[in-house]
Amino acid sequence: MPQKSDPELLVKMAEEARKGRLSRRDFMNFALAAGIGTSMASGFWTTKVAMAAPKKGGTFRWGIHDGNTSDTHDPGTYVTRQMIFLAHQYRSYLTMINPDNSLGPDLATSWEATPDAKQWTFKLHKDAVFHSGKKVTAKDVVASMNHHRGEKSTSAAKSLLTSVTDIIADDDHTVTFKLNGGNADLPWLMTDYHLAVCPADGDGIDWKSGDGCGPYKIDSGEFGVSWSLSRHDGWHGEGAYFDKVEMTILNDPNARQTALVTGDVDCVSLVDLKTLALLKRNPNIAVDNVPSGAAITMPMFCDTAPFDDVNVRQALKLSIDRQEIIDKIAFGAATMGNDFHLAPVQPYFPEEIPQREYDPDKAKSLLKKAGAEGLSVSLSTADSVFSGAVDMCVLYAEQAKKAGIKINVVREPSDGYYSDVWLKKPFTAVSWGARPTPDVMFSLAYKDDAAWNESHWQNAEFNKLLLQAKAELDQKKRAEMYHDMCMLMRDDGGTIIPFFNNFVYARRKNVMHGENLAASWSCDGARAPSRWWFA
Amino acid sequence: MSDVLSIVLKRLGLGVITLFVISVLIFGAVEMLPGDIAEAVLGMGATEENVAAMREQLGLNQPAPVRYFDWLSGAVVGDFGVSLVTQTPVGEVIGPRFANTLFLATYAAAIAVPVAIFLGVVVALLRNTLFDRVANVLALTSISSPEFFLGYILILYLSVKTGMFPAIAKISGDMTFLELLQRTFLPALTMVLVVVAHMMRMTRAAIINLLSSPYIEMARLKGMPAWRVIIKHALPNAWAPIINVVALNLAYLITGVVLVEVVFVYPGIGQLLVDSVTKRDFTVVQACCLIFAATFILLNLAADVLAILTNPRLRYKK
């Protein structure tokens, strides 16, 4: 590198970095090589590069996976990524998860609870308008939430709102939720992708027209094929730098990769991990590898032999070599699990719980204690659980041999796996989407009477703590409770958690984003179009 | 000509019965799939209550035969019902997709059929030469490779490396016809490669078969050039088997394109069918399958009629 005077070089490098030609790591390396101190280089990066003002303009072409022709605009039946990605463009929510994974405002500008957390009041943004020009009022919010409630509702979000007894519009811009028990997490629940705000229409909502109050409005589109959107000038939030957004459904991993490489799209929402290394070699493409709260779990029925003995459960948890599984199955794009269902990117993650290591000898001695030497169990899985699910189970079976455990991997049909195998067979492999808070996740799959208590786990102390923590508004006390619950899950629970998978997506280098990327969904919490910009 | 007419009518009648049997089979097959539409639509987020609510809304709580005859009574008067998932009429759902599939099939056929017959004649003329061998090996290689593999190879060489054609056949209404042809060239070419071999080899075999006949020998002996012998004397008698193979391949161009559609992201009917099966959307699945079945029946009928028309011995009463 030619020796130039430091400031000049730094400015040039910052310019390169802003254009996306230099990563932060390269920037720091070059800066150090040029004799610029770490703190100065780092400071320079934050002020001059990362904070570079986003530019307006351009058409963001976005290739997305998992779209189906038979999807609809009904927020209650959103299930594919196509609809989740689209929903965050054309519709708005009360709250949103910020790029740094904290909770931030969307339609609601502020919210507060009564001390028992049984009543929550949301103040709405006064300037928010639908694409049709109609003002967003409390009435629309109430109708949108009621769409997921009541006996006739077919919404998948119904279970999320069962504790809500009433939703009242206090005035045009104030909404109050009344609950039958304290819930400190209600503002977090409002980020759920089903709970989009639609215009009220008679007794219900008008979801059919596709009107919304999100950053982009739909110009044209076809389910399972493509969508064209343009900026909604009346949007109440910040961002939405692109003039237009074009979403193309690319279900085939190869088609996605090709479209990105040939420049047919600017970003793809999912990258095939097997070819990730090859993609990274392309100088025009940047890969984002973002840890998430989406877990792979292997629940064992705690009321069924041999899993009814905690020693057996612990032995099975000790017989898995998580690092090898992450390296070989997830190609390194994962965060190690520790047998409690809470990831480091999620709120209340207990840092101080030690990582459980692969220890076949200890597993053996535990089995001896339980009188279950030569244990043989069947593990059900299917290809559709996640890419590599069967391979993972086979690898685990090999690892468990060292502890003297025989695991028969049963490959079940992919079709109907979640209706016929999961919750029916005693030992299965499952893939979970991320939930916003530990309370939601624990209540859904670990509470004693939860319909999806996939491990049939009954622990009185855990269930007591769960109810206490739910209504606790003191953050410190709450964190302690979640720490204790995680310890119980880890040591007594019936679920093995090998890893939390990362969101791995890729963009052309001229697409820029801020320093943090939200971990709630792929592509910056599904909000790439409103948060990213062209260099 | 009345013979032809009676054949057509008889075959159409049998075709209707075939369609009916197929519709029963499809309904049975969809019924046998694990899970139902309510579970498929609500996904993993389904609870007992909202699955029940959705079943009631869609009338899924009625017994299977009742639902089938409900559908059938509409279908016989041309009402194929609404998509169970989106509640839009099946015709609206399928129409544009089927048009896209027909366009791609026509595009591929317009290239494949002339090329295959021309090559078939040429290799028959030059049989057992190096050209014949090379053409056969290439054609057999392309027919033996799965479509998606051929597609990827074409994408690699004609799109990623050279940038001549787009890898994604994304089409929109405001494209000119030429743009459309360029956009969809790679999927069309893939399908051409898949179907050419079959037609070419049948042409070659049919012609070579005739070349040992006495009348061909006569033509040769009177000093006719080889290409004229084939065009004027052999080909007219070889049409019947060639037409049959062409019809089969045309049907394949419409019904066998799912993989090509997926690889090139082309919004055709195959992808729609796959999507509908995963959602257990019976009415759409049924309509798609009936379209496929009708395609086979009609093209086979057309082939038989054409074979009769090209054969004077069948055309006139004895």
Side-chain angles (χ1 to χ4, degrees):
Chain A
M1 191 181 291
Q3 284 296 320
K4 289 187 186 167
S5 61
D6 291 349
E8 197 187 324
L9 181 68
L10 211 53
V11 168
K12 261 204 122 56
M13 274 165 40
E15 184 61 31
E16 290 295 293
R18 253 202 302 276
K19 286 176 186 154
R21 293 187 193 135
L22 209 57
S23 71
R24 184 176 193 274
R25 176 179 290 178
D26 291 341
F27 179 82
M28 294 298 286
N29 282 345
F30 288 146
L32 290 178
I36 299 160
T38 323
S39 62
M40 184 182 169
S42 172
F44 203 83
W45 172 270
T46 0
T47 51
K48 296 287 187 236
V49 183
M51 300 301 281
K55 274 200 312 198
K56 271 198 167 189
T59 300
F60 181 59
R61 296 162 307 160
W62 192 15
I64 56 175
H65 66 289
D66 182 26
N68 194 302
T69 323
S70 46
D71 287 333
T72 67
H73 282 309
D74 181 356
T77 57
Y78 283 167
V79 63
T80 60
R81 297 297 190 288
Q82 163 183 234
M83 293 321 295
I84 295 168
F85 287 137
L86 186 64
H88 285 86
Q89 316 320 320
Y90 76 122
R91 284 176 174 158
S92 280
Y93 296 82
L94 282 181
T95 55
M96 74 162 94
I97 292 179
N98 290 327
D100 62 0
N101 292 319
S102 62
L103 187 71
D106 189 347
L107 264 178
T109 51
S110 64
W111 46 91
E112 56 183 17
T114 50
D116 59 358
K118 277 188 174 177
Q119 194 167 319
W120 280 91
T121 305
F122 292 82
K123 290 267 178 216
L124 301 183
H125 204 293
K126 294 213 161 69
D127 300 329
V129 284
F130 288 105
H131 302 153
S132 61
K134 195 170 95 72
K135 282 231 167 214
V136 180
T137 64
K139 205 176 140 231
D140 301 305
V141 175
V142 172
S144 301
M145 295 303 147
N146 284 339
H147 180 65
H148 307 279
R149 301 173 63 230
E151 256 175 50
K152 284 270 161 73
S153 174
T154 56
S155 168
K158 194 174 169 181
S159 52
L160 212 57
L161 298 177
T162 39
S163 63
V164 176
T165 51
D166 203 7
I167 305 174
I168 306 154
D170 300 322
D171 60 50
D172 266 6
H173 294 101
T174 314
V175 180
T176 299
F177 287 69
K178 289 188 174 166
L179 315 175
N180 58 14
N183 188 349
D185 280 342
L186 192 79
W188 283 91
L189 298 188
M190 292 299 132
T191 63
D192 184 275
Y193 62 89
H194 298 99
L195 304 179
V197 174
C198 307
D201 179 28
D203 288 338
I205 51 166
D206 162 34
W207 55 260
K208 285 193 176 121
S209 66
D211 191 12
C213 48
Y216 292 92
K217 57 173 183 281
I218 296 175
D219 293 331
S220 65
E222 195 183 331
F223 292 100
V225 181
S226 62
W227 293 94
S228 298
L229 304 105
S230 56
R231 191 193 292 122
H232 170 38
D233 289 320
W235 192 44
H236 54 273
E238 281 182 27
Y241 304 111
F242 302 112
D243 294 334
K244 282 175 186 299
V245 177
E246 267 177 31
M247 298 169 64
T248 308
I249 286 81
L250 303 170
N251 286 326
D252 182 54
N254 216 308
R256 276 200 303 279
Q257 210 128 319
T258 312
L260 183 68
V261 172
T262 57
D264 275 333
V265 295
D266 300 308
C267 169
V268 291
S269 59
L270 179 70
V271 169
D272 189 7
L273 296 177
K274 287 181 189 133
T275 52
L276 186 59
L278 294 170
L279 194 66
K280 277 185 180 161
R281 280 198 228 148
N282 189 316
N284 301 318
I285 286 166
V287 174
D288 292 304
N289 199 333
V290 183
S292 84
I296 303 301
T297 66
M298 292 196 275
M300 319 173 246
F301 283 178
C302 297
D303 55 359
T304 308
F307 309 116
D308 50 355
D309 187 328
V310 67
N311 292 310
V312 171
R313 300 203 290 267
Q314 283 204 5
L316 282 160
K317 288 176 181 174
L318 286 163
S319 315
I320 185 166
D321 184 348
R322 291 159 222 262
Q323 193 56 52
E324 193 185 14
I325 284 182
I326 289 175
D327 291 343
K328 292 185 175 161
I329 305 295
F331 298 91
T335 318
M336 197 177 287
N338 198 10
D339 298 332
F340 55 87
H341 205 142
L342 192 55
V345 291
Q346 293 178 293
Y348 307 109
F349 175 75
E351 308 246 345
E352 57 278 24
I353 297 184
Q355 175 64 44
R356 175 169 280 137
E357 306 288 344
Y358 177 49
D359 194 343
D361 294 329
K362 199 172 167 200
K364 253 186 198 163
S365 69
L366 281 171
L367 286 178
K368 204 169 175 186
K369 201 167 135 196
E373 287 146 303
L375 180 72
S376 171
V377 293
S378 291
L379 171 60
S380 293
T381 182
D383 293 302
S384 63
V385 176
F386 66 94
S387 160
V390 177
D391 298 341
M392 179 189 80
C393 294
V394 172
L395 186 58
Y396 174 36
E398 283 301 312
Q399 295 165 349
K401 271 186 191 160
K402 280 204 184 139
I405 303 173
K406 187 173 185 306
I407 298 177
N408 309 307
V409 178
V410 184
R411 189 186 194 153
E412 308 274 1
S414 290
D415 237 2
Y417 181 79
Y418 284 107
S419 47
D420 301 330
V421 178
W422 180 59
L423 299 179
K424 304 241 161 56
K425 300 274 168 82
F427 193 19
T428 52
V430 183
S431 163
W432 281 93
R435 296 299 192 279
T437 62
D439 178 66
V440 180
M441 192 63 235
F442 295 178
S443 309
L444 203 60
Y446 298 90
K447 196 168 178 284
D448 47 2
D449 59 352
W452 290 348
N453 184 353
E454 55 177 6
S455 57
H456 293 194
W457 186 44
Q458 308 285 333
N459 185 304
E461 201 189 338
F462 176 88
N463 289 303
K464 204 179 97 200
L465 278 170
L466 186 59
L467 286 182
Q468 277 176 8
K470 194 179 188 116
E472 181 59 65
L473 287 167
D474 181 335
Q475 296 304 318
K476 202 164 159 263
K477 275 193 199 158
R478 210 166 181 226
E480 267 169 38
M481 292 176 187
Y482 282 121
H483 169 274
D484 295 350
M485 278 186 258
C486 288
M487 280 308 283
L488 288 169
M489 286 172 120
R490 175 180 182 269
D491 295 334
D492 183 62
T495 308
I496 305 172
I497 302 188
F499 62 85
F500 295 89
N501 39 6
N502 288 6
F503 289 124
V504 185
Y505 40 96
R507 61 196 152 88
R508 310 255 333 152
K509 281 243 169 96
N510 62 338
V511 179
M512 313 301 289
H513 58 60
E515 203 163 358
N516 295 311
L517 292 168
S520 47
W521 292 103
S522 168
C523 295
D524 209 349
R527 289 179 185 271
S530 56
R531 288 177 177 167
W532 298 2
W533 65 92
F534 280 125
Chain B
M1 287 307 279
S2 65
D3 268 4
V4 176
L5 198 66
S6 79
I7 287 177
V8 170
L9 288 177
K10 224 184 275 172
R11 293 285 291 272
L12 282 178
L14 284 173
V16 170
I17 296 173
T18 314
L19 287 181
F20 170 73
V21 173
I22 286 170
S23 80
V24 175
L25 289 178
I26 305 288
F27 183 80
V30 175
E31 279 297 299
M32 274 194 285
L33 288 173
D36 69 359
I37 186 167
E39 282 170 1
V41 168
L42 293 171
M44 210 175 144
T47 61
E48 295 274 321
E49 280 171 55
N50 50 17
V51 166
M54 184 167 275
R55 280 190 187 136
E56 198 179 320
Q57 271 184 20
L58 297 173
L60 291 178
N61 41 5
Q62 289 178 344
V66 175
R67 274 181 286 134
Y68 176 74
F69 284 105
D70 265 0
W71 173 83
L72 186 69
S73 59
V76 290
V77 292
D79 172 17
F80 286 88
V82 295
S83 156
L84 296 180
V85 182
T86 61
Q87 301 298 322
T88 34
V90 168
E92 261 174 55
V93 179
I94 294 184
R97 291 303 195 94
F98 188 53
N100 286 345
T101 296
L102 276 184
F103 170 75
L104 191 60
T106 314
Y107 190 3
I111 302 174
V113 174
V115 166
I117 293 176
F118 176 74
L119 278 178
V121 171
V122 173
V123 292
L125 200 61
L126 303 173
R127 63 192 174 284
N128 301 331
T129 61
L130 186 65
F131 179 79
D132 180 29
R133 300 263 158 78
V134 171
N136 271 312
V137 167
L138 286 182
L140 287 175
T141 309
S142 72
I143 204 176
S144 316
S145 316
E147 289 110 314
F148 66 87
F149 178 70
L150 285 176
Y152 287 151
I153 297 277
L154 291 180
I155 287 180
L156 179 63
Y157 287 104
L158 298 182
S159 181
V160 176
K161 293 214 164 164
T162 57
M164 289 197 292
F165 295 97
I168 304 295
K170 192 185 158 195
I171 54 172
S172 65
D174 52 7
M175 282 180 172
T176 65
F177 188 63
L178 272 179
E179 272 176 337
L180 208 59
L181 289 185
Q182 204 233 1
R183 270 267 152 194
T184 52
F185 181 71
L186 289 187
L189 186 60
T190 310
M191 287 159 64
V192 167
L193 289 176
V194 173
V195 297
V196 153
H198 197 187
M199 294 189 283
M200 178 192 102
R201 287 183 55 84
M202 184 50 96
T203 309
R204 177 182 182 273
I207 289 175
I208 288 178
N209 203 17
L210 290 168
L211 289 184
S212 53
S213 320
Y215 79 95
I216 298 286
E217 209 165 332
M218 175 64 212
R220 274 215 207 98
L221 287 174
K222 71 181 181 191
M224 233 182 192
W227 63 269
R228 275 202 72 183
V229 173
I230 287 179
I231 305 278
K232 281 224 58 138
H233 295 274
L235 202 52
N237 278 320
W239 276 128
I242 295 174
I243 287 172
N244 266 311
V245 169
V246 169
L248 263 185
N249 280 294
L250 288 184
Y252 182 78
L253 285 180
I254 293 176
T255 60
V257 292
V258 178
L259 289 176
V260 176
E261 282 175 12
V262 170
V263 168
F264 292 98
V265 199
Y266 186 78
I269 199 170
Q271 187 61 48
L272 177 72
L273 177 61
V274 173
D275 281 354
S276 306
V277 171
T278 54
K279 285 279 174 87
R280 314 280 183 264
D281 195 345
F282 159 73
T283 46
V284 178
V285 174
Q286 186 76 278
C288 289
C289 291
L290 288 183
I291 287 178
F292 287 169
T295 307
F296 267 101
I297 292 170
L298 290 177
L299 280 171
N300 273 318
L301 176 63
D304 287 350
V305 170
L306 278 176
I308 292 171
L309 292 182
T310 56
N311 189 337
R313 275 173 303 185
L314 297 174
R315 202 162 46 199
Y316 300 109
K317 269 192 188 154
K318 289 181 193 104

